[in-house]
Amino acid sequence: DIFEVPSRKASKAISSLGRKGKKKTSSLDIYLKEFSAKIAGIIKMNEFKRAQLVIDLRTAGLDETPEQYTADAIVKAALIGVFALPAIFFSPIIAFLILGLALLIYLSESKKVSKRIKKKRERIEYDLPRFVGHIERLVTHSRDIIYIIESYIPVAIEDLADELYITVAEMRSSGDIHASLESLDKRIGSNWLSEVCHALEAVENSTDTSALWTSMLIKFKELQRLNLKAEANSIPRKVKRLSMALLICFLLIYIAVMGQVLITSLSEIM
């Protein structure tokens, strides 16, 4: 069975062999993994959605099948939602709040992969001006795409280095530079990286691209400056949204308590 997992003792033993400094896996996590593995075995997904999720999980660095990823989200939401069953007997309002929280957890877990890809894309884009500067220096005397990309891997940030390593491996195995660059572009989904890939294709086509790389470097540095400025300006708005979220939580708790008191009072009168 593809979704079969090892016994609990074996799982604990395997977990203990993790890298030094890695957070220890708890017994609850192991139980949840076992249960989600059983759920994953009965989940059916259409081929297009599954194929897209496979690419997204790979890009995000999550070593899971699409079924396992979906099952994990369901199980984590169910772990909270199950508390609505006893709550409904003494407070229907609290039960509905618990169900609402479970739904939010499911939506959050379902979007985890897209959030990780977004953060990875942002980290890669932050390093692109340096990558473009590297290409600009080399492209004047070399049009060997594999050499240009491979020579940057040792100094690239981890996320970009991993993607460039995969791209170089694809180029060497398939011999198709264009397809490998296109694959890199689709995996990351960055407009900045897309420009870099198209410019590298122009280099492959023996086009003089020196001026293109110079203008792209200036453009990327300016975009990076604007992004950093926008991020700095967004901090006060984030604090304001957090304060508003805390206020809403307090109001919900107040409404739940007052609703419970009102229901109890009405039941005593009747």
Side-chain angles (χ1 to χ4, degrees), residues 46-87:
N46 67 66
E47 289 301 318
F48 176 79
K49 182 179 179 181
R50 190 182 191 282
Q52 183 60 51
L53 195 48
V54 166
I55 295 172
D56 290 345
L57 289 170
R58 178 187 175 190
T59 303
L62 295 174
D63 188 19
E64 297 178 318
T65 65
E67 292 82 3
Q68 182 70 52
Y69 173 76
T70 305
D72 283 345
I74 294 172
V75 169
K76 288 178 181 178
L79 184 65
I80 300 300
V82 72
F83 290 102
L85 294 176

Side-chain angles (χ1 to χ4, degrees), residues 3-19:
F3 300 105
E4 187 178 353
V5 295
S7 66
R8 193 167 300 112
K9 289 184 179 179
S11 298
K12 287 185 177 180
I14 293 170
S15 298
S16 67
L17 295 176
R19 290 177 298 178

Side-chain angles (χ1 to χ4, degrees), residues 146 167-168 170-183 204:
I146 294 179
T167 303
V168 168
E170 289 179 352
M171 289 177 177
R172 291 189 186 281
S173 61
S174 67
D176 192 334
I177 302 293
H178 173 77
S180 300
L181 290 172
E182 191 175 70
S183 176
E204 172 66 13

Side-chain angles (χ1 to χ4, degrees), residues 12-62:
K12 287 185 177 180
I14 293 170
S15 298
S16 67
L17 295 176
R19 290 177 298 178
K20 186 177 180 180
K22 188 175 180 180
K23 187 177 178 181
K24 185 179 179 180
T25 305
S26 66
S27 297
L28 178 60
D29 290 332
I30 295 173
Y31 275 111
L32 292 178
K33 259 319 185 195
E34 289 181 352
F35 186 60
S36 64
K38 294 177 182 177
I39 299 295
I42 60 176
I43 291 177
K44 303 297 180 185
M45 306 176 71
N46 67 66
E47 289 301 318
F48 176 79
K49 182 179 179 181
R50 190 182 191 282
Q52 183 60 51
L53 195 48
V54 166
I55 295 172
D56 290 345
L57 289 170
R58 178 187 175 190
T59 303
L62 295 174

Side-chain angles (χ1 to χ4, degrees), residues 14 38 45-46 85 116 126 130 132 160 238 247 267:
I14 293 170
K38 294 177 182 177
M45 306 176 71
N46 67 66
L85 294 176
R116 290 189 62 159
Y126 187 82
R130 202 159 58 99
V132 170
L160 182 56
K238 290 179 180 178
L247 177 60
S267 62

